[in-house]
């Protein structure tokens, strides 16, 4: 498998996304603004990045476990999806799940960017899906143990 080439435009104050280790799946995304989040407050945090993904790929914006553990910061829509035809700035919707106001510095790592291949499904309408039996059937939400 060859690695896809991602074109990146860096806006003012933006940092190039970087893999922290040789085997990291995600690249760190940094904030281009100082942000303060009160308890249960959410904000769109800018990264200053615009990208061009090859057709057949998406980028997923995912939360950072360190921010979640140390500061109680998560993402409202995790993972966020960036389609290959999107050309706007990448923003990260963060939420403060702690009971204290949290300040994030300009340049702080706020999320991860993971590039993934996309498979588009062909949809075929059928009159009744229960005709396609499985051992699980309609069992959901904890039904497998």
């Amino acid at each position: 498998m060859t690695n896809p080439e991602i074109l990146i435009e860096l806006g003012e104050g933006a940092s190039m996304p970087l893999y922290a280790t040789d085997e990291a799946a995600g690249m760190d995304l940094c904030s281009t603004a100082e942000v303060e989040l009160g308890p249960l407050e959410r904000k769109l945090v800018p990264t200053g990045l615009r990208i061009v993904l090859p057709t057949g790929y998406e980028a997923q914006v995912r939360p950072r476990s360190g921010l979640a553990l140390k500061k109680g910061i998560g993402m409202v829509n995790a993972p966020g999806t960036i389609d290959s035809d999107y050309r706007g700035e990448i923003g990260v919707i963060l939420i403060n799940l702690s009971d204290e106001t949290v300040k994030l510095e300009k340049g702080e790592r706020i999320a991860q960017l993971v590039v993934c291949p996309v498979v588009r499904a062909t949809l075929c309408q059928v009159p009744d899906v229960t005709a396609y039996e499985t051992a699980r059937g309609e069992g959901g939400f904890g039904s497998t143990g």
Side-chain angles (χ1 to χ4, degrees):
M1 177 196 289
T2 61
N3 295 331
E5 182 177 80
I6 310 299
L7 306 178
I8 298 178
E9 176 187 324
L10 297 177
E12 187 174 334
S15 304
M16 184 66 91
L18 297 173
Y19 292 103
T21 66
D22 289 342
E23 296 187 33
M27 298 171 261
D28 289 325
L29 296 178
C30 298
S31 172
T32 57
E34 188 176 281
V35 176
E36 214 172 80
L37 290 165
L40 297 179
E41 185 178 12
R42 63 185 179 273
K43 288 185 180 172
L44 179 62
V45 181
T47 65
L49 301 175
R50 294 173 186 262
I51 64 174
V52 177
L53 293 164
T55 300
Y57 286 87
E58 65 153 335
Q60 296 178 4
V61 180
R62 299 182 185 181
R64 291 194 66 246
S65 57
L67 271 185
L69 180 63
K70 295 173 186 171
K71 298 184 178 184
I73 300 296
M75 281 180 53
V76 177
N77 65 322
T81 298
I82 301 170
D83 297 308
S84 64
D85 59 353
Y86 177 67
R87 295 295 180 268
E89 180 180 354
I90 296 173
V92 181
I93 306 170
L94 295 180
I95 187 166
N96 179 1
L97 299 172
S98 78
D99 57 0
E100 297 178 6
T101 296
V102 172
K103 184 177 178 181
L104 300 172
E105 301 296 330
K106 183 177 178 179
E108 188 165 347
R109 297 178 298 159
I110 58 168
Q112 298 182 72
L113 188 71
V114 177
V115 177
C116 305
V118 171
V119 176
R120 292 194 48 141
T122 300
L123 304 178
C124 302
Q125 185 175 351
V126 296
D128 181 12
V129 296
T130 59
Y132 302 88
E133 293 183 31
T134 67
R136 182 176 180 177
E138 293 183 23
F141 299 109
S143 67
T144 60

